[in-house]
């Protein structure tokens, strides 16, 4: 099966543009594409871009709530178009760099402001390590939905020390930040190309076929359900960004139902507290949904009761799951599981909306005859988000992050629905995206 990358490489012409150019663009894409692969061992979602001059393939772990793209510059980074971002530059101001704040606000014409290098904090939230790195600019080449490659000159990213790469997937040299910030990949691409401030995401549950992120006005999907995107006024990235709003995508979870019946637990755990803790966030860095212990125990108890007639399994390998079951048909077992409904606020503030997590997303196969309940106990530690909706529950869903209108559109798990058409199995309409088709 041909890969998505091969499809989008049918044109090898490279166009170099920058936000400051006044010349007509030879090619103005409507949207850009990041192919997303699920790593078999780490379960991280990775993408590959081309960066530098000459272009080099760079593999990055996708951080849905990351503030910017960052990459290791200590090990063999060579590029003739690599340049620093000065403290006095607009990019530095957009980045909210703390390192240049005092110099440029107190004395905007001082040598420190005019010639100093803007710095930021590359943050690896998988290994809970961070560092300090210079903000740099270099050429980055993306794939467009139109089937051409398009390069952005002077795309900002943060140089990280090699130590920040701890526990990232094999071959990964940085992270692709898609979060709510001024220089994340979606935000900066929007400013360069004049895209709408939104992007769509479909993560594949398979390690053998790609998912995708589409930046800008890409695919459309009929009958999306919308819920507000909530801005957490306090960063959730430990103390690194204290006092800044979170770059993560929070949603307004009101209650949880199992097989139509509401799960009883303390609903105040779903609120965002003044220190930024609590609430519900979407994450590509957590492979499974993590719940505050009180919420997890309530759901686990109800779920185990529903499955009391099934034979429980004791997996040979260590797994983070409490409920595993033996089955002769993994697919049928998952399909027969009771649905979990997330009851969410609506954009008009009237009738609540439902995000249904089907059995295919609430269960995970750990071998050819064992299925486990794919939620984990997140503990009771203070200062943490109480509901983290992880990758397994996001997979195979069409998710549209409409940042301009502060709303999330979702489809249920129909992202890779089997539909026929010129592109084969698409599951999308309008500007169709070739998901799970012969093009992938």
């Amino acid at each position: 099966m041909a890969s998505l990358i091969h499809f989008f490489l049918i044109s090898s012409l490279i166009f170099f543009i920058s936000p400051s150019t006044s010349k007509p663009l030879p090619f103005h894409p409507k949207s850009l594409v990041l192919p997303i692969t699920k790593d078999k061992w780490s379960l991280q979602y990775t993408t590959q871009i081309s960066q530098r001059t000459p272009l080099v393939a760079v593999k990055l772990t996708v951080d849905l709530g990351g503030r910017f793209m960052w990459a290791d510059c200590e090990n063999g980074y060579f590029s003739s178009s690599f340049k620093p971002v000065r403290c006095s530059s607009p990019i530095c101001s957009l980045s909210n760099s703390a390192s240049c704040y005092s110099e440029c606000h107190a004395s905007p014409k001082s040598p420190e402001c005019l010639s100093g290098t803007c710095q930021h904090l590359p943050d690896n939230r998988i290994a809970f390590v961070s560092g300090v790195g210079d903000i740099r600019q270099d050429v980055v080449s993306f794939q467009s939905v139109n089937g051409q490659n398009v390069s952005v000159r002077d795309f900002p990213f943060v140089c990280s020390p090699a130590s920040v790469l701890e526990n990232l997937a094999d071959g990964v040299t940085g992270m692709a930040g898609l979060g709510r910030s001024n220089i994340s990949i979606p935000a900066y691409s929007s400013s360069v190309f004049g895209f709408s401030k939104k992007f769509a995401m479909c993560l594949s549950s398979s390690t053998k076929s790609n998912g995708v992120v589409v930046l800008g006005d890409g695919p459309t999907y009929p009958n999306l359900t919308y819920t507000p995107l909530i801005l957490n006024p306090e960063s959730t990235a430990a103390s690194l960004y204290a006092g800044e709003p979170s770059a993560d995508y929070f949603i307004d979870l009101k209650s949880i139902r199992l097989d139509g019946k509401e799960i009883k637990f303390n609903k105040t755990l779903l609120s965002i507290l003044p220190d930024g803790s609590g609430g519900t966030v979407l994450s590509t860095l957590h492979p499974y949904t993590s719940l505050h212990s009180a919420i997890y125990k309530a759901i686990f108890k109800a779920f185990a009761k529903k499955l009391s007639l099934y034979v429980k399994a004791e997996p040979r390998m260590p797994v983070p799951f409490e409920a595993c079951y033996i089955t002769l048909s993994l697919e049928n077992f998952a399909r027969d599981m009771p649905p979990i409904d997330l009851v969410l606020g609506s954009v008009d503030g009237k009738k609540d909306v439902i995000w249904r997590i089907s059995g295919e997303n609430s269960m995970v196969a750990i071998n050819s005859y064992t299925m486990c309940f794919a939620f984990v106990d997140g503990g009771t530690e203070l200062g943490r988000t109480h509901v983290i909706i992880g990758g397994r529950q996001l997979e195979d869903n069409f998710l549209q992050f409409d940042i301009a209108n502060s709303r999330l559109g979702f489809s249920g798990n129909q992202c890779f629905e089997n539909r026929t058409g010129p592109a084969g199995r698409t599951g999308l309409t309008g500007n169709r995206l070739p998901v799970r088709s012969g093009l992938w």
Side-chain angles (χ1 to χ4, degrees):
M1 185 178 291
S3 70
L4 174 66
I5 295 176
H6 292 161
F7 169 70
F8 285 112
L9 288 178
I10 58 175
S11 170
S12 60
L13 185 59
I14 307 297
F15 298 96
F16 291 88
I17 68 171
S18 72
S20 59
T21 182
S22 58
K23 297 180 180 180
L25 300 179
F27 170 60
H28 195 88
K30 294 182 178 180
S31 53
L32 302 176
V33 173
L34 297 175
I36 308 295
T37 301
K38 184 177 181 179
D39 183 73
K40 181 177 181 180
W41 304 111
S42 68
L43 303 183
Q44 293 169 28
Y45 303 95
T46 67
T47 189
Q48 185 169 288
I49 61 169
S50 294
Q51 189 195 39
R52 315 175 196 178
T53 303
L55 289 171
V56 173
V58 178
K59 186 177 179 181
L60 306 169
T61 290
V62 176
D63 182 357
L64 180 60
R67 293 176 178 271
F68 40 72
M69 180 173 74
W70 60 262
D72 171 24
C73 295
E74 286 187 351
N75 297 311
Y77 193 104
F78 303 105
S79 175
S80 62
S81 51
F82 183 55
K83 64 183 183 181
V85 169
R86 299 302 180 192
C87 284
S88 57
S89 70
I91 293 293
C92 189
S93 297
L94 284 173
S95 74
N96 294 324
S97 168
S99 66
C100 294
Y101 183 86
S102 58
E103 290 88 345
C104 292
H105 281 72
S107 304
K109 295 185 179 181
S110 68
E112 291 82 4
C113 179
L114 295 174
S115 61
T117 301
C118 192
Q119 294 183 323
H120 226 301
L121 304 168
D123 183 18
N124 174 351
R125 297 191 289 174
I126 292 175
F128 302 102
V129 294
S130 61
V132 177
D134 293 345
I135 301 180
R136 302 278 178 156
Q137 291 177 293
D138 211 336
V139 170
V140 173
S141 179
F142 295 99
Q143 303 162 5
S144 77
V145 169
N146 303 67
Q148 293 177 310
N149 284 357
V150 56
S151 290
V152 181
R153 190 168 53 221
D154 301 337
F155 200 97
F157 72 105
V158 177
C159 274
S160 79
S163 59
V164 186
L165 299 176
E166 184 179 346
N167 293 345
L168 295 186
D170 186 42
V172 163
T173 57
M175 300 188 90
L178 307 181
R180 302 179 76 168
S181 74
N182 296 321
I183 60 169
S184 68
I185 291 177
Y188 197 74
S189 299
S190 173
S191 69
V192 170
F193 295 102
F195 292 156
S196 298
K197 292 183 178 180
K198 64 183 178 182
F199 65 95
M201 181 175 75
C202 291
L203 301 178
S204 173
S205 57
S206 172
T207 59
K208 297 179 180 179
S209 58
N210 286 348
V212 71
V213 166
V214 181
L215 309 172
D217 291 310
T220 58
Y221 202 105
N223 304 319
L224 284 183
T225 301
Y226 292 96
T227 189
L229 286 172
I230 306 299
L231 181 64
N232 188 335
E234 288 291 332
S235 172
T236 51
S239 60
L240 291 178
Y241 304 102
E244 293 186 29
S246 174
D248 283 294
Y249 296 99
F250 282 77
I251 57 176
D252 183 21
L253 178 62
K254 293 180 175 295
S255 64
I256 302 173
R257 299 171 186 166
L258 177 67
D259 205 16
K261 185 176 181 180
E262 183 173 317
I263 303 295
K264 302 297 183 182
F265 58 86
N266 184 358
K267 299 300 189 297
T268 62
L269 293 170
L270 302 179
S271 300
I272 297 175
L273 303 178
D275 64 355
S277 64
T280 301
V281 73
L282 309 183
S283 173
T284 54
L285 301 183
H286 289 72
Y288 308 104
T289 290
S290 174
L291 304 169
H292 183 282
S293 283
I295 303 174
Y296 174 81
K297 289 175 181 177
I299 292 178
F300 177 77
K301 181 179 179 181
F303 182 85
K305 185 177 181 180
K306 287 282 184 181
L307 273 66
S308 59
L309 297 180
Y310 290 87
V311 178
K312 294 196 69 174
E314 295 295 336
R316 295 180 180 179
M317 69 178 80
V319 293
F321 312 117
E322 289 190 53
C324 295
Y325 301 89
I326 297 173
T327 176
L328 298 178
S329 175
L330 299 176
E331 184 175 350
N332 289 341
F333 184 87
R335 189 183 298 118
D336 292 340
M337 290 301 97
I340 296 173
D341 291 336
L342 305 181
V343 182
L344 306 171
S346 62
V347 292
D348 61 9
K350 296 179 181 178
K351 186 178 180 180
D352 293 338
V353 298
I354 302 296
W355 179 345
R356 171 156 289 187
I357 300 175
S358 67
E360 288 91 337
N361 285 73
S362 65
M363 304 296 293
V364 61
I366 61 170
N367 56 43
S368 58
Y369 56 85
T370 306
M371 295 286 283
C372 296
F373 183 53
F375 291 74
V376 298
D377 189 335
T380 59
E381 183 179 343
L382 296 176
R384 298 183 62 177
T385 304
H386 291 161
V387 178
I388 302 173
I389 301 178
R392 178 61 182 165
Q393 285 67 47
L394 298 177
E395 289 170 352
D396 301 332
N397 283 268
F398 180 87
L399 301 174
Q400 183 190 76
F401 295 82
D402 187 348
I403 302 166
N405 294 302
S406 295
R407 63 181 187 173
L408 172 73
F410 57 93
S411 66
N413 65 336
Q414 301 172 2
C415 191
F416 300 121
E417 182 178 320
N418 184 11
R419 297 184 184 180
T420 57
R425 297 180 66 181
T426 64
L428 302 177
T429 60
N431 293 323
R432 279 193 303 243
L433 194 67
V435 293
R436 291 267 178 93
S437 68
L439 300 175
W440 280 30

